[in-house]
PDB file of all heavy atoms in Angstrom:
ATOM      1  N   ILE M  32     -80.459 -24.894  14.933  1.00 96.00           N
ATOM      2  CA  ILE M  32     -79.911 -23.984  15.979  1.00 96.00           C
ATOM      3  C   ILE M  32     -81.104 -23.632  16.859  1.00 96.00           C
ATOM      4  O   ILE M  32     -82.238 -23.393  16.389  1.00 96.00           O
ATOM      5  CB  ILE M  32     -79.323 -22.773  15.344  1.00 96.00           C
ATOM      6  CG1 ILE M  32     -78.682 -21.820  16.488  1.00 96.00           C
ATOM      7  CG2 ILE M  32     -80.278 -21.930  14.450  1.00 96.00           C
ATOM      8  CD1 ILE M  32     -77.661 -20.838  15.977  1.00 96.00           C
ATOM      9  N   GLY M  40     -85.611 -17.700  26.681  1.00 92.00           N
ATOM     10  CA  GLY M  40     -86.690 -17.798  25.851  1.00 92.00           C
ATOM     11  C   GLY M  40     -86.034 -18.344  24.508  1.00 92.00           C
ATOM     12  O   GLY M  40     -84.928 -18.077  24.172  1.00 92.00           O
ATOM     13  N   GLY M  47     -95.243 -23.404   6.198  1.00 73.00           N
ATOM     14  CA  GLY M  47     -96.118 -24.267   5.524  1.00 73.00           C
ATOM     15  C   GLY M  47     -97.380 -23.542   5.091  1.00 73.00           C
ATOM     16  O   GLY M  47     -97.481 -22.366   5.303  1.00 73.00           O
ATOM     17  N   LEU M  51    -103.243 -25.961   6.679  1.00 73.00           N
ATOM     18  CA  LEU M  51    -102.893 -27.109   7.368  1.00 73.00           C
ATOM     19  C   LEU M  51    -102.706 -26.877   8.856  1.00 73.00           C
ATOM     20  O   LEU M  51    -102.451 -25.641   9.247  1.00 73.00           O
ATOM     21  CB  LEU M  51    -101.560 -27.724   6.800  1.00 73.00           C
ATOM     22  CG  LEU M  51    -101.586 -28.250   5.388  1.00 73.00           C
ATOM     23  CD1 LEU M  51    -100.248 -28.710   4.935  1.00 73.00           C
ATOM     24  CD2 LEU M  51    -102.595 -29.421   5.245  1.00 73.00           C
ATOM     25  N   VAL M  54     -97.448 -26.421  12.566  1.00 89.00           N
ATOM     26  CA  VAL M  54     -96.380 -27.300  13.100  1.00 89.00           C
ATOM     27  C   VAL M  54     -95.188 -26.303  13.389  1.00 89.00           C
ATOM     28  O   VAL M  54     -94.772 -25.690  12.471  1.00 89.00           O
ATOM     29  CB  VAL M  54     -96.003 -28.462  12.235  1.00 89.00           C
ATOM     30  CG1 VAL M  54     -94.831 -29.205  12.862  1.00 89.00           C
ATOM     31  CG2 VAL M  54     -97.198 -29.362  12.021  1.00 89.00           C
ATOM     32  N   TRP M  55     -94.706 -26.323  14.564  1.00 93.00           N
ATOM     33  CA  TRP M  55     -93.588 -25.394  14.950  1.00 93.00           C
ATOM     34  C   TRP M  55     -92.244 -26.206  14.817  1.00 93.00           C
ATOM     35  O   TRP M  55     -92.175 -27.419  14.993  1.00 93.00           O
ATOM     36  CB  TRP M  55     -93.901 -24.868  16.330  1.00 93.00           C
ATOM     37  CG  TRP M  55     -94.945 -24.076  16.461  1.00 93.00           C
ATOM     38  CD1 TRP M  55     -96.278 -24.430  16.637  1.00 93.00           C
ATOM     39  CD2 TRP M  55     -95.033 -22.682  16.287  1.00 93.00           C
ATOM     40  NE1 TRP M  55     -97.138 -23.398  16.591  1.00 93.00           N
ATOM     41  CE2 TRP M  55     -96.552 -22.213  16.365  1.00 93.00           C
ATOM     42  CE3 TRP M  55     -94.168 -21.650  15.849  1.00 93.00           C
ATOM     43  CZ2 TRP M  55     -96.932 -20.929  16.218  1.00 93.00           C
ATOM     44  CZ3 TRP M  55     -94.557 -20.386  15.810  1.00 93.00           C
ATOM     45  CH2 TRP M  55     -95.929 -20.032  15.983  1.00 93.00           C
ATOM     46  N   LYS M  60     -81.385 -27.119   8.538  1.00 93.00           N
ATOM     47  CA  LYS M  60     -81.477 -27.718   7.301  1.00 93.00           C
ATOM     48  C   LYS M  60     -80.460 -28.867   7.188  1.00 93.00           C
ATOM     49  O   LYS M  60     -79.622 -29.040   8.019  1.00 93.00           O
ATOM     50  CB  LYS M  60     -81.226 -26.657   6.115  1.00 93.00           C
ATOM     51  CG  LYS M  60     -79.880 -26.211   6.003  1.00 93.00           C
ATOM     52  CD  LYS M  60     -79.763 -25.198   4.841  1.00 93.00           C
ATOM     53  CE  LYS M  60     -78.350 -24.901   4.392  1.00 93.00           C
ATOM     54  NZ  LYS M  60     -77.808 -25.962   3.664  1.00 93.00           N
ATOM     55  N   ASP M  61     -80.644 -29.643   6.043  1.00 93.00           N
ATOM     56  CA  ASP M  61     -79.706 -30.662   5.751  1.00 93.00           C
ATOM     57  C   ASP M  61     -78.353 -30.092   5.230  1.00 93.00           C
ATOM     58  O   ASP M  61     -78.329 -29.011   4.571  1.00 93.00           O
ATOM     59  CB  ASP M  61     -80.309 -31.663   4.617  1.00 93.00           C
ATOM     60  CG  ASP M  61     -81.441 -32.343   5.059  1.00 93.00           C
ATOM     61  OD1 ASP M  61     -81.664 -32.493   6.376  1.00 93.00           O
ATOM     62  OD2 ASP M  61     -82.191 -32.806   4.224  1.00 93.00           O
ATOM     63  N   LYS M  65     -69.883 -30.561   0.774  1.00 90.00           N
ATOM     64  CA  LYS M  65     -68.681 -30.530   1.794  1.00 90.00           C
ATOM     65  C   LYS M  65     -68.961 -29.335   2.716  1.00 90.00           C
ATOM     66  O   LYS M  65     -67.990 -28.955   3.394  1.00 90.00           O
ATOM     67  CB  LYS M  65     -67.361 -30.411   1.127  1.00 90.00           C
ATOM     68  CG  LYS M  65     -67.066 -31.730   0.308  1.00 90.00           C
ATOM     69  CD  LYS M  65     -65.645 -31.717  -0.226  1.00 90.00           C
ATOM     70  CE  LYS M  65     -65.447 -33.032  -0.955  1.00 90.00           C
ATOM     71  NZ  LYS M  65     -64.029 -33.228  -1.290  1.00 90.00           N
ATOM     72  N   GLU M  66     -70.179 -28.833   2.837  1.00 92.00           N
ATOM     73  CA  GLU M  66     -70.480 -27.775   3.715  1.00 92.00           C
ATOM     74  C   GLU M  66     -70.186 -28.041   5.168  1.00 92.00           C
ATOM     75  O   GLU M  66     -70.427 -29.217   5.591  1.00 92.00           O
ATOM     76  CB  GLU M  66     -72.019 -27.465   3.507  1.00 92.00           C
ATOM     77  CG  GLU M  66     -72.516 -26.323   4.127  1.00 92.00           C
ATOM     78  CD  GLU M  66     -74.025 -26.090   3.779  1.00 92.00           C
ATOM     79  OE1 GLU M  66     -74.810 -27.010   4.027  1.00 92.00           O
ATOM     80  OE2 GLU M  66     -74.381 -25.048   3.241  1.00 92.00           O
ATOM     81  N   CYS M  71     -73.570 -24.330   7.334  1.00 93.00           N
ATOM     82  CA  CYS M  71     -74.941 -24.731   7.242  1.00 93.00           C
ATOM     83  C   CYS M  71     -75.897 -23.901   8.016  1.00 93.00           C
ATOM     84  O   CYS M  71     -76.899 -23.406   7.540  1.00 93.00           O
ATOM     85  CB  CYS M  71     -75.013 -26.247   7.594  1.00 93.00           C
ATOM     86  SG  CYS M  71     -76.781 -26.959   7.564  1.00 93.00           S
ATOM     87  N   THR M  75     -78.679 -21.030   6.910  1.00 92.00           N
ATOM     88  CA  THR M  75     -80.153 -21.161   7.284  1.00 92.00           C
ATOM     89  C   THR M  75     -80.595 -19.823   7.905  1.00 92.00           C
ATOM     90  O   THR M  75     -81.718 -19.407   7.588  1.00 92.00           O
ATOM     91  CB  THR M  75     -80.164 -22.354   8.342  1.00 92.00           C
ATOM     92  OG1 THR M  75     -79.801 -23.555   7.721  1.00 92.00           O
ATOM     93  CG2 THR M  75     -81.554 -22.385   8.955  1.00 92.00           C
ATOM     94  N   CYS M  82     -80.423 -12.225   9.608  1.00 88.00           N
ATOM     95  CA  CYS M  82     -79.746 -11.557  10.638  1.00 88.00           C
ATOM     96  C   CYS M  82     -78.482 -12.336  11.001  1.00 88.00           C
ATOM     97  O   CYS M  82     -78.139 -13.299  10.399  1.00 88.00           O
ATOM     98  CB  CYS M  82     -80.659 -11.463  11.860  1.00 88.00           C
ATOM     99  SG  CYS M  82     -81.019 -13.095  12.683  1.00 88.00           S
ATOM    100  N   ILE M  84     -76.225 -14.275  13.905  1.00 88.00           N
ATOM    101  CA  ILE M  84     -76.252 -15.033  15.162  1.00 88.00           C
ATOM    102  C   ILE M  84     -74.910 -14.764  15.901  1.00 88.00           C
ATOM    103  O   ILE M  84     -73.882 -14.881  15.374  1.00 88.00           O
ATOM    104  CB  ILE M  84     -76.455 -16.498  14.954  1.00 88.00           C
ATOM    105  CG1 ILE M  84     -77.782 -16.774  14.334  1.00 88.00           C
ATOM    106  CG2 ILE M  84     -76.283 -17.345  16.254  1.00 88.00           C
ATOM    107  CD1 ILE M  84     -78.993 -16.409  15.094  1.00 88.00           C
ATOM    108  N   PHE M  90     -74.394 -27.522  20.869  1.00 96.00           N
ATOM    109  CA  PHE M  90     -75.056 -27.913  22.030  1.00 96.00           C
ATOM    110  C   PHE M  90     -75.111 -29.423  22.243  1.00 96.00           C
ATOM    111  O   PHE M  90     -74.597 -29.888  23.306  1.00 96.00           O
ATOM    112  CB  PHE M  90     -76.567 -27.402  21.988  1.00 96.00           C
ATOM    113  CG  PHE M  90     -77.478 -27.902  23.040  1.00 96.00           C
ATOM    114  CD1 PHE M  90     -77.180 -27.538  24.278  1.00 96.00           C
ATOM    115  CD2 PHE M  90     -78.607 -28.722  22.672  1.00 96.00           C
ATOM    116  CE1 PHE M  90     -78.065 -28.080  25.346  1.00 96.00           C
ATOM    117  CE2 PHE M  90     -79.386 -29.119  23.630  1.00 96.00           C
ATOM    118  CZ  PHE M  90     -79.221 -28.858  25.070  1.00 96.00           C
ATOM    119  N   TYR M  93     -77.809 -35.439  17.962  1.00 93.00           N
ATOM    120  CA  TYR M  93     -78.902 -36.343  18.130  1.00 93.00           C
ATOM    121  C   TYR M  93     -78.899 -37.311  16.957  1.00 93.00           C
ATOM    122  O   TYR M  93     -78.638 -36.962  15.846  1.00 93.00           O
ATOM    123  CB  TYR M  93     -80.255 -35.547  18.103  1.00 93.00           C
ATOM    124  CG  TYR M  93     -80.499 -34.733  19.278  1.00 93.00           C
ATOM    125  CD1 TYR M  93     -79.976 -33.395  19.352  1.00 93.00           C
ATOM    126  CD2 TYR M  93     -81.176 -35.236  20.373  1.00 93.00           C
ATOM    127  CE1 TYR M  93     -80.158 -32.671  20.541  1.00 93.00           C
ATOM    128  CE2 TYR M  93     -81.368 -34.515  21.487  1.00 93.00           C
ATOM    129  CZ  TYR M  93     -80.853 -33.202  21.561  1.00 93.00           C
ATOM    130  OH  TYR M  93     -81.007 -32.353  22.685  1.00 93.00           O
ATOM    131  N   LEU M  95     -80.397 -39.485  14.106  1.00 87.00           N
ATOM    132  CA  LEU M  95     -81.484 -39.457  13.195  1.00 87.00           C
ATOM    133  C   LEU M  95     -81.802 -40.883  12.768  1.00 87.00           C
ATOM    134  O   LEU M  95     -83.016 -41.165  12.446  1.00 87.00           O
ATOM    135  CB  LEU M  95     -81.141 -38.621  11.954  1.00 87.00           C
ATOM    136  CG  LEU M  95     -80.939 -37.123  12.286  1.00 87.00           C
ATOM    137  CD1 LEU M  95     -80.530 -36.424  11.000  1.00 87.00           C
ATOM    138  CD2 LEU M  95     -82.165 -36.387  12.817  1.00 87.00           C
ATOM    139  N   THR M 102     -76.472 -38.288  12.125  1.00 93.00           N
ATOM    140  CA  THR M 102     -76.887 -37.496  13.309  1.00 93.00           C
ATOM    141  C   THR M 102     -77.248 -36.099  12.819  1.00 93.00           C
ATOM    142  O   THR M 102     -76.915 -35.701  11.723  1.00 93.00           O
ATOM    143  CB  THR M 102     -75.792 -37.505  14.218  1.00 93.00           C
ATOM    144  OG1 THR M 102     -74.665 -36.849  13.759  1.00 93.00           O
ATOM    145  CG2 THR M 102     -75.345 -38.765  14.794  1.00 93.00           C
ATOM    146  N   LYS M 109     -77.453 -16.550  19.837  1.00 92.00           N
ATOM    147  CA  LYS M 109     -78.356 -15.369  20.265  1.00 92.00           C
ATOM    148  C   LYS M 109     -78.536 -14.397  19.124  1.00 92.00           C
ATOM    149  O   LYS M 109     -77.550 -14.169  18.385  1.00 92.00           O
ATOM    150  CB  LYS M 109     -77.806 -14.697  21.459  1.00 92.00           C
ATOM    151  CG  LYS M 109     -77.764 -15.586  22.741  1.00 92.00           C
ATOM    152  CD  LYS M 109     -77.335 -14.897  23.951  1.00 92.00           C
ATOM    153  CE  LYS M 109     -77.326 -15.864  25.073  1.00 92.00           C
ATOM    154  NZ  LYS M 109     -77.893 -15.356  26.303  1.00 92.00           N
ATOM    155  N   HIS M 112     -80.308  -8.231  17.329  1.00 76.00           N
ATOM    156  CA  HIS M 112     -81.007  -7.169  16.501  1.00 76.00           C
ATOM    157  C   HIS M 112     -82.269  -7.617  15.888  1.00 76.00           C
ATOM    158  O   HIS M 112     -82.520  -8.833  15.971  1.00 76.00           O
ATOM    159  CB  HIS M 112     -79.978  -6.486  15.648  1.00 76.00           C
ATOM    160  CG  HIS M 112     -79.327  -7.390  14.662  1.00 76.00           C
ATOM    161  ND1 HIS M 112     -80.013  -7.906  13.495  1.00 76.00           N
ATOM    162  CD2 HIS M 112     -78.108  -8.027  14.696  1.00 76.00           C
ATOM    163  CE1 HIS M 112     -79.111  -8.694  12.856  1.00 76.00           C
ATOM    164  NE2 HIS M 112     -78.015  -8.813  13.536  1.00 76.00           N
ATOM    165  N   ILE M 120     -92.000 -18.567   6.105  1.00 89.00           N
ATOM    166  CA  ILE M 120     -92.289 -18.602   7.531  1.00 89.00           C
ATOM    167  C   ILE M 120     -93.528 -17.919   7.788  1.00 89.00           C
ATOM    168  O   ILE M 120     -93.576 -16.652   7.516  1.00 89.00           O
ATOM    169  CB  ILE M 120     -91.095 -18.076   8.387  1.00 89.00           C
ATOM    170  CG1 ILE M 120     -89.917 -19.086   8.130  1.00 89.00           C
ATOM    171  CG2 ILE M 120     -91.396 -18.039   9.890  1.00 89.00           C
ATOM    172  CD1 ILE M 120     -88.632 -18.564   8.854  1.00 89.00           C
ATOM    173  N   ASN M 121     -94.571 -18.501   8.369  1.00 88.00           N
ATOM    174  CA  ASN M 121     -95.737 -17.847   8.660  1.00 88.00           C
ATOM    175  C   ASN M 121     -95.689 -17.044   9.958  1.00 88.00           C
ATOM    176  O   ASN M 121     -96.333 -16.064   9.956  1.00 88.00           O
ATOM    177  CB  ASN M 121     -96.895 -18.903   8.817  1.00 88.00           C
ATOM    178  CG  ASN M 121     -97.130 -19.734   7.517  1.00 88.00           C
ATOM    179  OD1 ASN M 121     -96.828 -19.204   6.413  1.00 88.00           O
ATOM    180  ND2 ASN M 121     -97.724 -20.817   7.568  1.00 88.00           N
ATOM    181  N   ILE M 126     -90.753 -18.623  23.076  1.00 95.00           N
ATOM    182  CA  ILE M 126     -91.423 -19.391  24.147  1.00 95.00           C
ATOM    183  C   ILE M 126     -90.410 -19.674  25.228  1.00 95.00           C
ATOM    184  O   ILE M 126     -89.220 -19.623  25.123  1.00 95.00           O
ATOM    185  CB  ILE M 126     -91.918 -20.672  23.549  1.00 95.00           C
ATOM    186  CG1 ILE M 126     -90.867 -21.657  23.041  1.00 95.00           C
ATOM    187  CG2 ILE M 126     -92.995 -20.334  22.433  1.00 95.00           C
ATOM    188  CD1 ILE M 126     -91.268 -23.091  22.826  1.00 95.00           C
ATOM    189  N   ASN M 132     -95.270 -27.394  26.014  1.00 91.00           N
ATOM    190  CA  ASN M 132     -96.385 -28.374  25.725  1.00 91.00           C
ATOM    191  C   ASN M 132     -97.566 -27.824  24.959  1.00 91.00           C
ATOM    192  O   ASN M 132     -98.482 -28.499  24.504  1.00 91.00           O
ATOM    193  CB  ASN M 132     -96.808 -28.980  27.012  1.00 91.00           C
ATOM    194  CG  ASN M 132     -95.855 -29.996  27.628  1.00 91.00           C
ATOM    195  OD1 ASN M 132     -95.120 -30.627  26.779  1.00 91.00           O
ATOM    196  ND2 ASN M 132     -95.671 -29.876  28.918  1.00 91.00           N
ATOM    197  N   TYR M 134     -97.327 -26.246  22.103  1.00 92.00           N
ATOM    198  CA  TYR M 134     -97.076 -26.206  20.636  1.00 92.00           C
ATOM    199  C   TYR M 134     -96.907 -27.578  20.156  1.00 92.00           C
ATOM    200  O   TYR M 134     -96.294 -28.370  20.757  1.00 92.00           O
ATOM    201  CB  TYR M 134     -95.918 -25.275  20.455  1.00 92.00           C
ATOM    202  CG  TYR M 134     -96.068 -23.807  20.781  1.00 92.00           C
ATOM    203  CD1 TYR M 134     -95.757 -23.392  21.989  1.00 92.00           C
ATOM    204  CD2 TYR M 134     -96.784 -22.961  19.848  1.00 92.00           C
ATOM    205  CE1 TYR M 134     -95.968 -22.030  22.339  1.00 92.00           C
ATOM    206  CE2 TYR M 134     -97.054 -21.655  20.229  1.00 92.00           C
ATOM    207  CZ  TYR M 134     -96.670 -21.229  21.453  1.00 92.00           C
ATOM    208  OH  TYR M 134     -96.881 -19.899  21.756  1.00 92.00           O
ATOM    209  N   GLY M 138     -90.935 -33.571  14.171  1.00 82.00           N
ATOM    210  CA  GLY M 138     -89.840 -34.555  14.451  1.00 82.00           C
ATOM    211  C   GLY M 138     -89.480 -34.604  15.913  1.00 82.00           C
ATOM    212  O   GLY M 138     -90.437 -34.663  16.737  1.00 82.00           O
ATOM    213  N   ASP M 146     -84.365 -30.801  26.292  1.00 95.00           N
ATOM    214  CA  ASP M 146     -82.942 -30.993  26.757  1.00 95.00           C
ATOM    215  C   ASP M 146     -82.254 -29.529  27.031  1.00 95.00           C
ATOM    216  O   ASP M 146     -81.480 -29.391  27.958  1.00 95.00           O
ATOM    217  CB  ASP M 146     -82.129 -31.721  25.650  1.00 95.00           C
ATOM    218  CG  ASP M 146     -82.470 -33.165  25.690  1.00 95.00           C
ATOM    219  OD1 ASP M 146     -83.227 -33.681  26.576  1.00 95.00           O
ATOM    220  OD2 ASP M 146     -82.057 -33.899  24.707  1.00 95.00           O
ATOM    221  N   PHE M 147     -82.647 -28.620  26.108  1.00 95.00           N
ATOM    222  CA  PHE M 147     -82.049 -27.308  26.258  1.00 95.00           C
ATOM    223  C   PHE M 147     -82.466 -26.609  27.459  1.00 95.00           C
ATOM    224  O   PHE M 147     -81.632 -26.029  28.270  1.00 95.00           O
ATOM    225  CB  PHE M 147     -82.395 -26.498  24.965  1.00 95.00           C
ATOM    226  CG  PHE M 147     -82.041 -24.963  25.238  1.00 95.00           C
ATOM    227  CD1 PHE M 147     -80.692 -24.591  25.095  1.00 95.00           C
ATOM    228  CD2 PHE M 147     -82.964 -24.012  25.535  1.00 95.00           C
ATOM    229  CE1 PHE M 147     -80.312 -23.227  25.325  1.00 95.00           C
ATOM    230  CE2 PHE M 147     -82.596 -22.672  25.773  1.00 95.00           C
ATOM    231  CZ  PHE M 147     -81.224 -22.354  25.663  1.00 95.00           C
TER     232      PHE M 147
END
Side-chain angles (χ1 to χ4, degrees):
I32 187 164
L51 297 175
V54 177
W55 296 88
K60 72 177 195 76
D61 293 339
K65 295 186 180 196
E66 185 174 59
C71 177
T75 298
C82 68
I84 295 294
F90 171 64
Y93 291 87
L95 295 174
T102 62
K109 297 187 181 221
H112 54 81
I120 296 176
N121 298 336
I126 64 165
N132 291 322
Y134 298 94
D146 287 351
F147 170 76

